[in-house]
Amino acid sequence: DTKQLITPDLKWSGADFTWPCSTTKALLKNSGKFIPKNNIATRAQINRDTVFFTMPRYRKGIPATLVKTKLKRGACSATLEPFPCWSMQEEGKCSAMQSVVDLVVDGSDILWALDTGVVETLEDEPLQNCPPKVLAFNVRNGKLLKTITFEGLINKSSRLQYLAVDYGRDGRAFIYVSDAASRAIIVYDVQAGKGYRVMLPKAVSEGCGKKDVLY
């Protein structure tokens, strides 16, 4: 007999963070660095009993941009834990993540995160804190395996939005990133440490009033 793995329906009415200490939440709320209503998860990936979320810094008050929580049957709320740690969520620190907009967990237990480097995107004056990058983490222990930047592959009008990961028959990893505003896809050979841009035909955006056409 073949047993089917059934994932229970989960409905959470809210979530809170696992704060480093009891006073951290109050300090961040009082300083405007934590505004609960602005914390919105936009992407998710499930790995075993853990779900990872992106929480882009579209507005102010988002303390962590990549988080995880455990899938627990019967739980009516979730507790969000920054992944891999709090120090990797620091705004203005370019070795940390600024605003993660997409993620992929592959079959090798590697989590790939697309960080645009832009915060407060929906505010009056978005801030380009750091250059865009993709970070690769070991899902099990949170170790940072690789950081990929895109020098020479992006321009000032670039708007990176989606991420895909694929492996060749020889095990080489390739990442694909959509640059919606420039009508292009960035292809990056992780092992070789280099990439190129694939420009899409103008027909892709023909008749569209907006530049962002790769949704």
Side-chain angles (χ1 to χ4, degrees):
D1 295 338
T2 302
K3 293 184 178 179
Q4 294 183 341
L5 180 61
I6 301 175
T7 303
D9 290 336
L10 295 174
K11 292 182 180 180
W12 292 321
S13 61
D16 200 0
F17 289 93
T18 54
W19 303 101
C21 64
S22 58
T23 58
T24 302
K25 180 178 180 179
L27 289 171
L28 291 178
K29 287 190 74 172
N30 292 337
S31 64
K33 292 184 178 181
F34 176 46
I35 303 174
K37 68 178 183 179
N38 289 348
N39 288 257
I40 300 173
T42 59
R43 302 276 194 280
Q45 290 273 279
I46 295 175
N47 180 263
R48 298 180 177 86
D49 64 344
T50 302
V51 56
F52 296 89
F53 294 109
T54 64
M55 303 184 74
R57 287 186 167 122
Y58 291 142
R59 297 193 183 278
K60 297 177 181 179
I62 300 167
T65 185
L66 180 62
V67 300
K68 69 177 183 177
T69 191
K70 291 290 185 181
L71 294 172
K72 297 180 180 179
R73 188 186 297 270
C76 58
S77 64
T79 302
L80 304 178
E81 179 182 347
F83 181 84
C85 58
W86 278 106
S87 64
M88 284 297 293
Q89 316 291 332
E90 185 177 341
E91 287 191 53
K93 177 183 173 183
C94 289
S95 59
M97 296 173 288
Q98 301 304 296
S99 184
V100 176
V101 298
D102 202 7
L103 79 163
V104 173
V105 177
D106 67 22
S108 299
D109 280 344
I110 297 175
L111 184 152
W112 305 81
L114 173 60
D115 176 15
T116 64
V118 183
V119 301
E120 301 179 20
T121 315
L122 299 180
E123 302 286 0
D124 293 334
E125 295 182 7
L127 303 173
Q128 180 80 55
N129 279 347
C130 303
K133 57 184 178 289
V134 169
L135 302 96
F137 298 98
N138 183 311
V139 167
R140 300 196 179 195
N141 58 24
K143 181 180 179 181
L144 178 62
L145 303 175
K146 198 168 191 66
T147 300
I148 298 165
T149 54
F150 300 105
E151 290 89 349
L153 298 175
I154 58 175
N155 52 51
K156 289 183 178 180
S157 66
S158 289
R159 184 178 173 87
L160 307 185
Q161 292 179 326
Y162 287 92
L163 171 69
V165 180
D166 193 20
Y167 286 84
R169 292 182 178 178
D170 59 356
R172 295 170 68 88
F174 292 84
I175 61 174
Y176 304 85
V177 178
S178 66
D179 186 350
S182 298
R183 206 181 68 248
I185 295 176
I186 298 170
V187 182
Y188 195 89
D189 182 334
V190 177
Q191 275 72 19
K194 59 184 179 180
Y196 53 90
R197 289 170 63 86
V198 176
M199 294 302 301
L200 300 178
K202 290 184 178 180
V204 170
S205 58
E206 188 173 355
C208 297
K210 297 181 179 179
K211 284 187 175 182
D212 295 350
V213 296
L214 298 184
Y215 290 107

